[in-house]
Amino acid sequence: MKFRDRFANWMSGRNGMDELARFESGLVLVLLIISLFSRLGLLYIVALAVMIHMYYRMFSRNVSKRYEENQKFLNLRYNSTVEWNKKKKHFAQRKTYCFFKCPQCKQEVRVPRGHGKICITCPRCRTEFIKRT
Ligand SMILES: [Zn+2]
């Protein structure tokens, strides 16, 4: 048997490469490069730890548990992308709009700047609150 076939055989029933593993392999690369240039020994150790974790997950036979971890990672990544896009939007509009959170339902409310103290009505729960714009 060729090595590739033997490896494929050995890998069957194991988790293999998933999104989290792909992310971790990228992270390891970045950490190693930074540690190379910055001489931060700690980063090297962290990179090593991430690599061990990545291989542990790839070769793990507990596929359902690994699947769960991967889903959590995907959720986290999705949420941070949403959060990041929101921050980007706020930054782009910071001169024309103020952003407030409704004290009741945490709904985000956008109001134009430069109107002094105003009473804002939450579009979702109709709570009124006063803010300076
Ligand atoms: Zn509200």
Side-chain angles (χ1 to χ4, degrees), residues 102 104-107 122 124-127:
C102 166
Q104 193 70 35
C105 69
K106 309 292 173 217
Q107 162 76 37
C122 171
R124 195 202 267 170
C125 69
R126 301 279 143 209
T127 302

Side-chain angles (χ1 to χ4, degrees), residues 4 6 8 12 26 36-38 53 56 67 73 86 89 101-102 107 111 114 122 129 131 133:
R4 214 175 62 191
R6 263 171 40 201
S12 76
L36 215 74
F37 288 105
S38 65
H53 182 253
Y56 165 76
Y67 176 80
F73 163 71
K86 216 166 85 181
K89 193 187 82 183
K101 256 194 184 134
C102 166
Q107 162 76 37
V111 290
C122 171
F129 54 101
K131 288 281 178 191
T133 60

Side-chain angles (χ1 to χ4, degrees), residues 9-43:
N9 197 36
W10 185 76
M11 275 305 283
S12 76
R14 293 172 200 266
N15 192 51
M17 200 73 162
D18 56 14
E19 283 295 308
L20 178 52
R22 227 165 259 135
F23 170 78
E24 283 180 325
S25 69
L27 185 67
V28 167
L29 202 70
V30 171
L31 288 175
L32 282 180
I33 289 170
I34 297 173
S35 76
L36 215 74
F37 288 105
S38 65
R39 289 199 210 160
L40 278 171
L42 184 72
L43 274 185

